[in-house]
Amino acid sequence: MRTKQYKPQGKTKPRTKKAVFMLSDEEYSLIHFYLKKYKITNRSRWFRETVLNHVLKNMEQDYPTLFEENEMRR
């Protein structure tokens, strides 16, 4: 059985920047358990997608608007 390949949209640019962070033993174990449970083999892509999805979601929520939320509810 063949797994579906991930293909990004458009032309990909080489990744030249590196991000490194430390985890506690508990955090590492939790992430390792999650990756094994959901059969995620590409940890790098998973971390990248997870972080970027979170950042983009927050940026979308914090996007400046013409009016404040309480002014729009009137």
Side-chain angles (χ1 to χ4, degrees):
M1 185 166 100
R2 201 175 138 105
T3 60
K4 187 175 181 181
Q5 291 288 326
Y6 171 76
K7 294 192 180 183
Q9 300 293 331
K11 190 174 183 180
T12 59
K13 298 178 183 176
R15 293 185 180 91
T16 58
K17 307 298 181 209
K18 186 175 186 177
V20 178
F21 59 95
M22 303 292 286
L23 296 171
S24 69
D25 290 337
E26 294 84 15
E27 292 167 336
Y28 183 81
S29 296
L30 178 65
I31 289 172
H32 184 72
F33 174 79
Y34 182 89
L35 296 173
K36 189 174 180 180
K37 178 179 179 181
Y38 292 103
K39 299 177 182 155
I40 298 170
T41 57
N42 191 333
R43 283 191 328 182
S44 179
R45 184 180 72 192
W46 179 79
F47 274 114
R48 196 170 44 252
E49 288 176 353
T50 302
V51 170
L52 290 176
N53 281 335
H54 179 76
V55 169
L56 290 173
K57 181 179 171 185
N58 283 348
M59 286 178 66
E60 185 178 295
Q61 291 175 350
D62 295 341
Y63 191 77
T65 58
L66 186 58
F67 302 103
E68 297 294 326
E69 183 177 351
N70 61 351
E71 294 172 337
M72 293 191 300
R73 292 182 185 261
R74 292 184 199 175

